[in-house]
Amino acid sequence: MKKELELEAMSTWLPTNGLPAVISGPCSAETESQTIATAKQLAATGKVNALRAGIWKPRTRPGQYEGSGAEGLAWLIQAKKETGLPVTTEVANASHVEACLKAGVDILWVGARTTVNPFSVQEIADSLKGVDIPVMVKNPVNPDLELWIGALERLNKAGIKKLAAIHRGFSSFDKGPFRNAPMWDLAIELKTRIPELDILCDPSHIAGNRELIALISQKAIDLNMSGLMIESHINPDAAWSDAKQQVTPAVLGNIIEGLVARKPSTDNKNFKDTLAVLREQIDQLDDEIMQKLAKRMTISEKIGQYKKENNVTILQVGRWEEIIATRLAMSMAMGLSEEFIKDMLKLIHNESIQIQTKVMNKESERV
């Protein structure tokens, strides 16, 4: 595996005693009293490793609360003095970086709306050359893994080695129960590509409502993520931004207390031996699945040739509907999820169409 980034582990710049990191605080630093009161209550839980608060808020539409601006940095620093918690806030340009460095902010983060723009990320990277400060990078709004990695690379090339990623979900037309679709597979792929990179999860922005935060937090821990960033406010319902996805410090403490810790490995020999046997079974089944898929595509190629010879279209809607109906009924009877089977069948069907398209468009061989 190619090492794409030169990194320092998050444990070197945010000590957590071996536990997942917890970064919490209000969506926005609204007033000095609100910021400091929230920080004190969070510190009192004993569960929080760093205080977060938005100072500059990129909003979808004008007229919404856009943050306190540089004035709020002084509130963060005062909260740090009174609680001992390191502080972090979002930056979107070089002037934000300059103001944060001057104020004494401990950790910066690049937001999803900024990550999506390489020009903005490069501006931030250039402003941080020669500066030794941790930077966390949220995934871009859209599900583009290369953009996410690109933002991390730009910062790393500027000399920032204390880097972490934040998975906060992706904008999707079909959101389901979430504000931002989790698309866990992209976060998993990022970890696969850059194993040494620490990834935190932002359950607040994935959920969009406080009721789902605990569920998403546990999922993140189960996936061995390095920590959580959860929004907390002394009076969430009265928050000036993103009220529905914030929890009180007391509730935050209960959420963290209720999480079931998972280990990435164990020294238990019986566990390792049993897991090795089960994985061998998985490997054998995967081999069989690949062979069956290859055989299916060979048949698809023959079907494409037969359709070509008889001047018949590739797509047969009735046949596709029949496949969906029969396969779904069978798979659900076997205990497989409807969503999984639909996704799998779509992938197989699309590959079959691609194969038949190549056959259809292949010029006849010259005699």
Side-chain angles (χ1 to χ4, degrees):
M1 180 68 66
K2 179 183 176 183
K3 186 175 181 179
E4 300 192 32
L5 302 176
E6 186 176 353
L7 302 173
E8 292 183 22
M10 191 175 69
S11 58
T12 65
W13 49 268
L14 190 62
T16 61
N17 295 322
L19 299 173
V22 178
I23 300 172
S24 189
C27 173
S28 302
E30 301 162 356
T31 66
E32 183 174 17
S33 60
Q34 168 254 2
T35 303
I36 294 175
T38 303
K40 286 182 175 180
Q41 291 186 26
L42 287 170
T45 67
K47 306 294 183 184
V48 177
N49 304 105
L51 173 68
R52 59 139 289 153
I55 301 298
W56 301 278
K57 298 297 298 180
R59 307 311 299 275
T60 302
R61 302 180 65 179
Q64 298 176 316
Y65 180 63
E66 296 183 335
S68 59
E71 179 185 12
L73 291 173
W75 309 339
L76 269 182
I77 299 306
Q78 185 59 37
K80 173 185 175 180
K81 290 179 180 177
E82 297 194 25
T83 64
L85 292 173
V87 294
T88 179
T89 196
E90 177 179 350
V91 294
N93 54 47
S95 64
H96 291 171
V97 171
E98 182 181 356
C100 286
L101 294 178
K102 184 177 180 180
V105 172
D106 300 286
I107 305 166
L108 307 178
W109 89 73
V110 178
R113 297 171 191 259
T114 304
T115 304
V116 80
N117 187 339
F119 292 112
S120 298
V121 176
Q122 190 61 56
E123 178 183 336
I124 293 170
D126 290 341
S127 68
L128 286 171
K129 286 182 178 178
V131 180
D132 183 24
I133 189 171
V135 181
M136 303 180 293
V137 181
K138 289 196 174 186
N139 62 254
V141 175
N142 52 307
D144 189 330
L145 182 60
E146 296 306 317
L147 265 180
W148 200 0
I149 293 175
L152 291 160
E153 288 176 332
R154 290 176 187 277
L155 290 160
N156 199 227
K157 287 181 178 180
I160 301 298
K161 298 180 181 179
K162 297 173 181 176
L163 276 174
I166 302 176
H167 172 231
R168 48 85 76 189
F170 301 86
S171 180
S172 172
F173 180 77
D174 182 18
K175 299 183 187 301
F178 304 110
R179 173 181 177 179
N180 293 304
M183 298 187 184
W184 299 102
D185 55 314
L186 286 179
I188 292 170
E189 177 63 19
L190 177 64
K191 188 66 175 178
T192 302
R193 291 270 295 271
I194 314 175
E196 67 275 16
L197 177 68
D198 286 295
I199 304 178
L200 298 93
C201 181
D202 179 348
S204 301
H205 278 87
I206 291 176
N209 67 80
R210 58 184 67 103
E211 287 76 17
L212 291 173
I213 289 176
L215 177 69
I216 296 167
S217 297
Q218 184 63 63
K219 174 74 172 182
I221 297 303
D222 290 346
L223 289 175
N224 197 30
M225 290 196 176
S226 300
L228 305 167
M229 177 183 275
I230 300 176
E231 293 184 345
S232 181
H233 191 290
I234 52 172
N235 186 4
D237 290 332
W240 297 357
S241 58
D242 289 346
K244 293 182 179 179
Q245 67 188 43
Q246 300 189 67
V247 296
T248 64
V251 170
L252 183 280
N254 291 335
I255 289 173
I256 302 305
E257 185 69 29
L259 294 176
V260 178
R262 311 290 187 192
K263 299 180 293 183
S265 62
T266 177
D267 294 329
N268 186 303
K269 185 178 184 302
N270 184 57
F271 171 84
K272 290 182 176 180
D273 291 344
T274 303
L275 189 62
V277 171
L278 293 173
R279 284 175 171 170
E280 184 178 350
Q281 293 175 8
I282 289 287
D283 291 342
Q284 291 175 356
L285 289 169
D286 283 346
D287 288 344
E288 293 177 20
I289 291 171
M290 294 302 118
Q291 292 173 31
K292 295 292 184 183
L293 284 174
K295 187 173 182 179
R296 191 186 196 282
M297 296 310 162
T298 299
I299 296 173
S300 291
E301 187 174 5
K302 292 179 180 178
I303 290 174
Q305 184 63 40
Y306 195 58
K307 287 178 179 177
K308 180 179 180 179
E309 292 170 357
N310 289 273
N311 202 29
V312 174
T313 60
I314 293 174
L315 181 61
Q316 304 286 314
V317 176
R319 170 61 176 164
W320 173 235
E321 290 177 346
E322 177 188 344
I323 288 174
I324 288 290
T326 57
R327 303 315 189 260
L328 275 181
M330 182 185 300
S331 62
M332 291 176 71
M334 295 178 178
L336 298 172
S337 75
E338 180 178 353
E339 182 181 5
F340 166 68
I341 295 301
K342 281 185 176 179
D343 288 344
M344 184 191 71
L345 289 175
K346 284 179 183 178
L347 287 171
I348 293 174
H349 188 241
N350 287 340
E351 180 65 16
S352 180
I353 287 177
Q354 293 299 319
I355 288 173
Q356 293 184 44
T357 300
K358 289 180 182 178
V359 172
M360 287 283 196
N361 296 322
K362 185 178 180 181
E363 295 183 6
S364 299
E365 294 181 3
R366 293 182 180 179
V367 177

